[in-house]
Amino acid sequence: MKMQYHIIIVVIIWSTVLVDSRKIRGISLTYRRFYKEKKSFLCIDGSKIIPFEQVNDDYCDCLDGSDEPGTSACTNGRFYCINLGFRPHFIPSSRVNDGICDCCDGSDEYNSRMRCRSTCRDLGQRERAEAEDQIRALNQGLLLRQQLIAEGVSIWREKQSQLRDLQRVYEQLRSKLEAHRKRKRKAEGLMGLLKPPGDDSRKEQVPESPAEFFRELDCDKDGSITVDEVQANVVNRGEEGRGLTEQEALALLGGSRQADLSHFQETLWQSLRNDGRFKIKEDPGSEAGALDEDPNIKAAGNSSADLKKMEEAYDTVRMEIRDLEETLSTDYGADKEFMYLQSQCVELTVYEYTYVLCPFNQVTQKSSTGTEILLGKWGSWAGHAEGLYSKMLFDRGEPCWQGPTRSTQVALTCGTVTALRGVKEPSKCSYDMELRTPAACRPLQRKRKVHSEL
């Protein structure tokens, strides 16, 4: 009788332990206050009051599933994994006792055939090691960012100095250009006064009669024109009066070394009248030749050449100033930390496509066949208010077939090297990229802690 009494007491105590364990399973410390042992239980959403014995009884009574935190009875329930040594978290209650270890401490499979080995300590150690690596990388990235800030400020000042120098040169060239234009107008006026009466074009004169011209070229008056006579009297118009080579003279005579009047009319005569590449050599003693020797006429020619060079230099400097002003008007970050990216391009190959990102310029996609498509031109910074410089927007790309124009958003993340890390196309003709750069590193205000309990 005494033995039976002791057995009854042990069974009652063991049952109490099982009930208490059953009641608190799957509950986080935050919600533990709702599950104190008492006569009744109020559903957390306030929808119903049930006897406390119905908590975790594998039957869903509350609409919010709060009466079954430790079973899979409620489809909307949540089971809390304590995961000592790692991060605690919730899992859907449908995964409780389903034969798969979801909690690293195995607490979700308390009543199944699966025996889960606790991996929380290993996971915790691994996560702490990764966190330490991230902190080291962040610290290194912050140091590199400071270097990039110094480099960006230096580049900025250098370009400002270049702009000031070019603006001074621009003003000097403008004054010189105006002076050259005045000299040219003066020289042209003098040239007009020195022209012979009735000569307003100084065109090369070609005799109307082929026989007359034939007699002029036939120096030895033997009734034929030779290659030597052609070389002596015909020059190349486009190369400042260069004399003809023997091959050129031979070609003008149709391949013959000499030609009579009939052959001349079919070959050289036709070239002189219809081909602008050749002309008759001017007589130095002629009016045209004498006029060319006039110093005022030479001055006019020199003024035209000088003016052309001056205008080319003026236009070149003006374009350089425009490019520098555009560069300096761009926002390179609050501390000029992104200035170094202004002249860089990074690329990434994904399957058969190579993506090239040139910050502050454009984004392109090149296929394995060589076809290149513009995915967007630099638009603006597109980050949120507290992180404006966390995202770049490139728009105005090439139009898609039956779709919008292509555009690309580039998320900037912290890294110790500048590299393109990923490319996606979440919607048609809209691309997302990730660019890692030390310039995107920012000090952490608060680092999430990892549980270290063993």
Side-chain angles (χ1 to χ4, degrees):
M1 186 68 178
K2 187 175 182 180
M3 178 66 70
Q4 291 177 349
Y5 177 75
H6 284 297
I7 292 175
I8 292 172
I9 292 176
V10 170
V11 170
I12 292 174
I13 294 174
W14 179 248
S15 299
T16 302
V17 172
L18 287 177
V19 170
D20 291 342
S21 175
R22 173 174 62 84
K23 295 303 181 190
I24 64 173
R25 184 179 287 117
I27 304 170
S28 68
L29 292 175
T30 304
Y31 286 89
R32 183 85 40 104
R33 57 191 176 89
F34 295 107
Y35 295 88
K36 292 181 179 179
E37 186 78 35
K38 49 189 176 181
K39 292 183 179 180
S40 60
F41 173 77
L42 175 65
C43 299
I44 293 178
D45 65 358
S47 61
K48 185 186 293 186
I49 297 177
I50 61 175
F52 198 84
E53 288 75 16
Q54 295 181 16
V55 173
N56 274 349
D57 66 347
D58 204 23
Y59 183 84
C60 192
D61 296 289
C62 297
L63 294 176
D64 61 358
S66 58
D67 64 308
E68 299 297 320
T71 74
S72 58
C74 297
T75 57
N76 58 341
R78 296 193 306 167
F79 181 89
Y80 183 74
C81 303
I82 298 176
N83 293 342
L84 196 64
F86 188 51
R87 288 182 286 107
H89 65 91
F90 286 96
I91 62 170
S93 60
S94 60
R95 298 181 183 178
V96 174
N97 293 324
D98 63 350
I100 300 175
C101 302
D102 296 290
C103 302
C104 67
D105 61 3
S107 58
D108 59 309
E109 298 300 315
Y110 64 88
N111 192 26
S112 74
R113 296 180 180 180
M114 177 61 65
R115 293 293 174 262
C116 302
R117 182 181 67 87
S118 177
T119 59
C120 293
R121 177 180 294 184
D122 294 339
L123 291 174
Q125 290 177 345
R126 188 184 308 165
E127 185 172 86
R128 285 189 291 275
E130 290 175 355
E132 290 170 358
D133 290 341
Q134 290 176 0
I135 291 173
R136 281 193 295 269
L138 174 62
N139 290 335
Q140 184 179 356
L142 290 173
L143 290 175
L144 292 172
R145 182 176 184 273
Q146 292 303 314
Q147 297 175 12
L148 293 177
I149 290 175
E151 180 181 340
V153 171
S154 176
I155 295 173
W156 179 270
R157 290 173 178 170
E158 181 181 346
K159 290 190 178 296
Q160 283 184 318
S161 177
Q162 290 175 358
L163 179 59
R164 288 192 294 267
D165 292 342
L166 283 174
Q167 288 171 337
R168 284 194 293 268
V169 172
Y170 180 77
E171 292 300 324
Q172 295 170 0
L173 285 174
R174 185 163 60 179
S175 300
K176 290 181 179 180
L177 185 60
E178 184 59 32
H180 273 76
R181 286 171 176 165
K182 288 181 179 178
R183 284 198 294 271
K184 182 176 181 293
R185 288 193 293 269
K186 182 178 179 181
E188 287 174 344
L190 290 172
M191 186 174 66
L193 293 174
L194 291 169
K195 284 182 181 179
D199 181 9
D200 59 353
S201 63
R202 298 187 61 208
K203 295 179 181 178
E204 295 86 2
Q205 299 300 318
V206 177
E208 292 296 330
S209 170
E212 178 186 350
F213 190 50
F214 180 83
R215 287 192 295 272
E216 289 184 14
L217 294 181
D218 185 11
C219 300
D220 56 7
K221 307 304 179 183
D222 62 350
S224 66
I225 298 175
T226 64
V227 170
D228 292 338
E229 288 172 328
V230 173
Q231 286 184 273
N233 292 284
V234 180
V235 295
N236 192 306
R237 183 192 302 272
E239 299 184 30
E240 300 182 357
R242 174 181 64 79
L244 301 182
T245 65
E246 183 176 352
Q247 289 75 11
E248 289 173 330
L250 192 63
L252 288 173
L253 291 177
S256 302
R257 297 204 64 84
Q258 65 180 16
D260 57 14
L261 178 58
S262 176
H263 189 67
F264 162 76
Q265 287 179 285
E266 297 174 356
T267 56
L268 179 57
W269 174 251
Q270 296 299 326
S271 296
L272 288 172
R273 295 206 43 100
N274 303 320
D275 191 340
R277 292 178 298 167
F278 306 102
K279 68 176 183 177
I280 308 166
K281 183 184 294 185
E282 293 179 353
D283 183 1
S286 66
E287 280 188 343
L291 195 59
D292 283 342
E293 296 299 321
D294 188 280
N296 292 300
I297 302 302
K298 286 186 175 181
N302 292 338
S303 293
S304 296
D306 291 344
L307 179 60
K308 184 176 181 181
K309 292 179 181 178
M310 188 66 64
E311 287 175 338
E312 290 175 353
Y314 181 80
D315 290 339
T316 300
V317 171
R318 183 172 57 186
M319 287 188 292
E320 290 179 358
I321 289 176
R322 183 195 62 192
D323 292 343
L324 271 175
E325 287 177 339
E326 183 178 349
T327 297
L328 291 172
S329 66
T330 303
D331 184 358
Y332 297 103
D335 300 314
K336 304 292 186 294
E337 64 269 31
F338 297 103
M339 183 79 189
Y340 83 104
L341 290 172
Q342 188 265 337
S343 59
Q344 287 196 22
C345 293
V346 290
E347 65 179 51
L348 177 68
T349 299
V350 181
Y351 301 111
E352 71 270 26
Y353 296 106
T354 298
Y355 297 87
V356 181
L357 166 64
C358 300
F360 308 107
N361 189 359
Q362 64 180 20
V363 183
T364 58
Q365 177 198 68
K366 189 173 183 179
S367 68
S368 56
T369 60
T371 303
E372 189 171 76
I373 297 175
L374 179 66
L375 301 186
K377 297 178 182 178
W378 165 249
S380 63
W381 292 102
H384 52 80
E386 296 180 358
L388 176 63
Y389 303 109
S390 63
K391 187 175 291 185
M392 291 177 163
L393 173 63
F394 294 80
D395 52 13
R396 296 162 293 144
E398 293 186 29
C400 277
W401 172 251
Q402 295 183 339
T405 57
R406 291 174 171 85
S407 63
T408 304
Q409 290 197 22
V410 181
L412 281 75
T413 57
C414 175
T416 55
V417 295
T418 302
L420 197 58
R421 298 292 297 178
V423 179
K424 296 185 296 183
E425 188 178 0
S427 59
K428 184 177 181 180
C429 302
S430 178
Y431 301 84
D432 287 345
M433 294 183 173
E434 179 190 355
L435 176 65
R436 285 193 180 176
T437 166
C441 295
R442 297 290 187 275
L444 294 179
Q445 297 297 324
R446 183 178 180 182
K447 185 69 177 178
R448 183 192 63 191
K449 293 183 178 179
V450 179
H451 283 250
S452 58
E453 295 92 344
L454 299 178

